[in-house]
Amino acid sequence: VLELTLGSYHALQILLSSNKLKSCIRSLLLHLARDTTSVIDATAFADLNHLNELWIDRAKELELLKIDYTEIVRKRREPFVFRSLHCVTIHICQKLKDTTFLVFAPNLKSLSLFHCGAMEEIISVGKFAEVPEMMGHISPFENLRLLRLSHLPNLKSIYWKPLPFTHLKEMVVRGCDQLEKLPLDSNSAKERKFVIRGEEDWWNLLQWEDESTQIAFRSCFQPRS
């Protein structure tokens, strides 16, 4: 079992050249404070068959976690390529705009996004639409238990339509003033109730699918200062 901290994208590429190391890695921290890489090919993580935890920290120049969706589906003949990935944390990546590659992580249990100033969407509808044959087959975050969104001032969307969030226990939103709608409807409340923590001013301005959804989730909210 291998847990590694890498200081550059180049180091990651070297690591991924070893089949033996790839099969051992369970946890990976990319600390990229001094790295000038603007694009990381997230497809590379698909070769880490036992990767449970991914942390990307201080990648200040990172703009895109690229993934060739069409190539992955064609090559693997099945959409889910990050089956072992359970926990993802992305911290201080000020130019990163989305994390659409996570639609291919069906067993994701925890997602934490902190201080990503350019983040506009968690899952980009535009990028997902590039693979129209997948649109009806993937429902992201089915196994998610914890969602933490903090200081994402340009975040406007988690997902473009309501999600069931069957296993979600807690959603924490802080410093996301542009996030005016959550991907929830009355069906999201049927399976189980979960806690939503956030600022009261943000909560009071949220737009809802309908009045019944707003009423259903009113008791879930716990204000935090």
Side-chain angles (χ1 to χ4, degrees):
V1 175
L2 189 61
E3 297 184 5
L4 281 179
T5 299
L6 299 179
S8 73
Y9 181 47
H10 180 61
L12 175 64
Q13 291 173 309
I14 295 173
L15 174 74
L16 294 177
S17 67
S18 167
N19 287 329
K20 190 157 190 175
L21 288 177
K22 284 193 292 190
S23 68
C24 297
I25 296 173
R26 302 292 191 273
S27 179
L28 183 63
L29 166 58
L30 298 176
H31 184 76
L32 303 177
R34 298 181 181 179
D35 194 279
T36 58
T37 300
S38 61
V39 178
I40 287 180
D41 184 3
T43 312
F45 301 130
D47 292 329
L48 303 175
N49 293 325
H50 302 289
L51 184 66
N52 298 141
E53 183 175 13
L54 175 64
W55 186 304
I56 302 176
D57 186 40
R58 299 176 191 274
K60 296 177 182 177
E61 298 302 318
L62 180 63
E63 298 178 21
L64 177 63
L65 284 162
K66 184 182 72 172
I67 187 165
D68 188 337
Y69 306 108
T70 309
E71 175 64 18
I72 280 183
V73 173
R74 184 191 67 79
K75 182 179 177 183
R76 293 177 176 262
R77 296 180 182 175
E78 65 103 3
F80 298 123
V81 294
F82 307 111
R83 283 194 174 277
S84 63
L85 197 56
H86 290 166
C87 178
V88 171
T89 301
I90 298 178
H91 178 239
I92 311 183
C93 296
Q94 294 288 6
K95 296 183 179 181
L96 188 64
K97 291 187 176 180
D98 66 83
T99 57
T100 305
F101 78 101
L102 292 175
V103 299
F104 296 101
N107 297 311
L108 190 68
K109 293 179 172 62
S110 171
L111 175 60
S112 301
L113 303 173
F114 304 136
H115 297 277
C116 298
M119 184 80 66
E120 295 178 357
E121 304 170 283
I122 306 302
I123 306 296
S124 167
V125 61
K127 290 183 180 179
F128 204 26
E130 293 172 8
V131 197
E133 64 271 23
M134 302 313 304
M135 294 284 281
H137 297 287
I138 292 182
S139 178
F141 308 137
E142 282 189 319
N143 288 295
L144 198 68
R145 289 172 168 76
L146 173 63
L147 177 62
R148 295 188 294 177
L149 307 172
S150 180
H151 295 92
L152 311 175
N154 287 299
L155 183 68
K156 296 177 177 65
S157 169
I158 295 173
Y159 195 65
W160 64 88
K161 62 180 182 180
L163 293 168
F165 286 119
T166 311
H167 298 285
L168 193 66
K169 294 182 178 179
E170 184 175 8
M171 180 188 296
V172 182
V173 180
R174 189 169 190 176
C176 302
D177 294 341
Q178 296 294 315
L179 184 62
E180 297 178 348
K181 190 174 183 180
L182 300 177
L184 304 172
D185 63 9
S186 53
N187 289 323
S188 308
K190 282 181 180 177
E191 294 295 329
R192 59 179 296 144
K193 291 291 183 73
F194 50 86
V195 175
I196 303 175
R197 304 184 198 277
E199 294 108 330
E200 201 153 10
D201 289 346
W202 164 77
W203 177 261
N204 290 335
L205 293 173
L206 277 180
Q207 301 170 14
W208 296 92
E209 197 77 11
D210 49 48
E211 189 178 357
S212 62
T213 303
Q214 184 177 15
I215 292 170
F217 283 98
R218 190 174 291 159
S219 62
C220 298
F221 179 65
Q222 293 186 7
R224 55 183 298 171
S225 55

